[in-house]
Amino acid sequence: MDVEQQVIAIVAEQAMLEPSDVTLDSTPEELGIDSLGLVESIFAIEETFDISVPFNANAPSESDFDISTVAQIVAGVKKLIAEQKA
């Protein structure tokens, strides 16, 4: 399973949807994920990929980690994995 599929699976689980219902263009809001669900998704992503996501739940807009769409989350995870391997 690649990074994109794993992130989609994690987001889908939080949204209580099937992974097939989650697209790269989906936003957390569209999927019905609230701020707590988003934090839980970030924790799950950190555990799955063994990375530390620079995400401030109190000020998500100030974070370097873009959570606006599933595609942005995937891009952020890939970047963190690459930085960790560097």
Side-chain angles (χ1 to χ4, degrees), residues 35 77-78:
S35 56
V77 169
K78 286 181 176 176

Side-chain angles (χ1 to χ4, degrees), residues 24-45:
L24 289 173
D25 295 330
S26 300
T27 66
E29 293 79 18
E30 288 171 349
L31 298 171
I33 298 175
D34 61 11
S35 56
L36 180 61
L38 206 48
V39 170
E40 289 178 5
S41 295
I42 298 291
F43 283 150
I45 286 168

Side-chain angles (χ1 to χ4, degrees), residues 17-86:
L17 296 168
E18 291 300 315
S20 58
D21 295 332
V22 177
T23 69
L24 289 173
D25 295 330
S26 300
T27 66
E29 293 79 18
E30 288 171 349
L31 298 171
I33 298 175
D34 61 11
S35 56
L36 180 61
L38 206 48
V39 170
E40 289 178 5
S41 295
I42 298 291
F43 283 150
I45 286 168
E46 287 182 325
E47 279 183 30
T48 300
F49 298 104
D50 194 27
I51 55 175
S52 180
V53 175
F55 178 76
N56 182 342
N58 297 323
S61 58
E62 294 172 23
S63 174
D64 289 341
F65 195 78
D66 187 342
I67 53 159
S68 57
T69 65
V70 173
Q72 292 295 350
I73 295 170
V74 169
V77 169
K78 286 181 176 176
K79 182 176 167 222
L80 289 169
I81 292 169
E83 286 172 3
Q84 190 180 50
K85 289 180 179 169

